[in-house]
Each structure stands twice: as C-alpha cells, then as structure tokens.
Amino acid sequence: MKKIALICLMMLASLTISLAQESIVSQINYNQLEKYIQSAKENYPRKQIMALTTERVRNSVPSATVSYLDMINASYFYRPNNASAVNPLYPYLVNGFQLGINLNLGSFLQKSYAIKTAKTELKIAQLEEKEYDAVLTNEVKTRYYNYIYQLNQLKLQTQTAQDYKTVSEDQRYKFEKGEITLQVFNASRIGASGADGGRIQAEIDFLKAKDALEEITGQKLEQIK
C-alpha cells in the first residue's frame, strides 16, 4: 500500500507539470518580445548585410543617372574677328567663339537601360530586405517562445526535484524506523535521482535557449530594457 502511495505521488507530480505547461502563453511578455525583435534588426549581422546591400543599390541609381553626362561631348572653337575669310588655320565663316555638342545615341539608349536596371535592382533589394525582416521577426519569436518554454521547464523540474527529494528523505526516515521496506525506499531514491537529473538537463536546455536568443538579438537579455 505504501509503495502504491509513493507511485501515486510521483504520477501526481508528473500531472502537475503537464497542467502547468498549459499556462505558458500567459507568461509571454509581448512588449519585451518587440524589444528583442528591434534589437535583432539593429544588431544581427545578416540584417545589417541586407541593409547595406539595399543602401549600395540605392546609391547606384543616382550614379547611373549622372552617367548620362558621359555620353555628351562639348567642344568649342575660337576664330579671331580679324581673320580673313579664307584661311587654312581658321576654316570657318563665322568669327568669334563657336560651340559644339556631340550626342552618342547608342550611349543614350544604354544609359537609359542602366538606370531602369538600377531602379529594378533597388526594388528587388528592398523587397528582399522586407522579406528578411519577416523571417528575422519569426525567428526571434521562435527563439523567445522556446526560451520561455525552457524557463518554465526549469522551474517545474526544479520544483519536482525538490518534491522528490522531500519524499525520498521522508522515506529514508521511515525506512530507518522500519515502517517501509527496502524496495519502497529504493524506489523513492531512484525517483529523486531521476528528478535531479531532469533538473540538470532542464538547466542545460534553458541556457542553450537563452544563448540562442542572445545570439540573434546581439545583446545580453539583461541589457535589453
């Protein structure tokens, strides 16, 4: 009967963990989550690369526009006012300054295409950055939810380990008094050892989840207020 009672106590502890897991949603701090997302957008290297790429492409648009000037060649010629009408050095009929502008039609069409291409590439870069913002946001949320889950697991496993330890100590006391068998006492010790192992694993999983969240936010969580 006492062994059955011990087993029931262990099953009750497991049931408590399952029920407590259902309340994880209420532990999510959405304001803090938004701060983590913003921190990731400001510090995550991949996001910075996307932003710099967009900026580089944006700068290529005015550069392509200015390059229109490359296809225009301007020149001038000066013929002195007192030059004779027929003069091999100044074979022009009009005296004074004469200006000339040459326009390369082929270059004009090429520049127009280059500008259109630069604008298209800018649009693509902007859309890619926007898409990555959504991907990054979802990744931060995923890591944050896992962080909250692992934190909750750590609390539960810590409490469970403490409960099993209390039961084991109580069973040891009863065993020493001859009130329970060695089999029942050993069962309580095994349960306590397993619970303590679960607590240690929960600590490791929590630290991994915390590291993963800090890796994408670029800061220690304690620094993000």
Side-chain angles (χ1 to χ4, degrees), residues 31-211:
N31 289 332
Q32 191 65 35
L33 175 57
E34 286 300 320
K35 293 179 181 179
Y36 291 154
I37 293 173
Q38 184 60 36
S39 180
K41 290 181 178 180
E42 293 175 356
N43 300 296
Y44 195 54
R46 181 60 181 168
K47 167 60 180 175
Q48 293 177 334
I49 291 173
M50 297 293 290
L52 290 174
T53 299
T54 301
E55 184 64 23
R56 182 185 62 190
V57 177
R58 181 182 289 110
N59 292 336
S60 69
V61 175
S63 177
T65 303
V66 172
S67 67
Y68 263 124
L69 300 177
D70 296 340
M71 65 185 178
I72 300 175
N73 296 318
S75 61
Y76 75 93
F77 183 83
Y78 175 70
R79 185 175 190 276
N81 292 328
N82 60 352
S84 60
V86 180
N87 190 328
L89 296 178
Y90 306 103
Y92 299 95
L93 299 178
V94 181
N95 294 332
F97 284 99
Q98 301 177 51
L99 301 178
I101 297 179
N102 296 321
L103 177 63
N104 189 315
L105 182 58
S107 296
F108 176 81
L109 296 177
Q110 289 178 354
K111 298 302 180 182
S112 178
Y113 175 78
I115 292 175
K116 184 180 295 185
T117 300
K119 291 181 178 180
T120 300
E121 290 178 348
L122 174 59
K123 185 64 176 179
I124 292 174
Q126 290 173 331
L127 290 174
E128 287 179 341
E129 185 176 6
K130 183 178 180 180
E131 178 189 33
Y132 187 72
D133 278 350
V135 172
L136 183 61
T137 296
N138 286 334
E139 182 62 24
V140 173
K141 288 181 179 180
T142 298
R143 297 190 189 193
Y144 174 71
Y145 297 151
N146 185 54
Y147 167 77
I148 293 297
Y149 171 75
Q150 297 300 342
L151 176 60
N152 192 59
Q153 285 293 100
L154 176 58
K155 292 178 180 178
L156 292 173
Q157 291 294 342
T158 300
Q159 183 59 52
T160 300
Q162 183 59 46
D163 292 342
Y164 271 101
K165 181 179 180 181
T166 300
V167 171
S168 179
E169 291 178 349
D170 181 66
Q171 295 299 307
R172 179 179 62 81
Y173 175 74
K174 291 181 178 180
F175 173 72
E176 291 174 349
K177 292 178 60 178
E179 296 179 358
I180 60 173
T181 64
L182 177 61
Q183 184 179 10
V184 174
F185 173 53
N186 284 337
S188 67
R189 291 177 59 192
I190 293 173
S193 177
D196 197 49
R199 176 188 59 80
I200 294 174
Q201 184 60 52
E203 290 179 349
I204 295 174
D205 293 340
F206 168 72
L207 291 175
K208 288 181 178 179
K210 185 173 185 288
D211 289 343

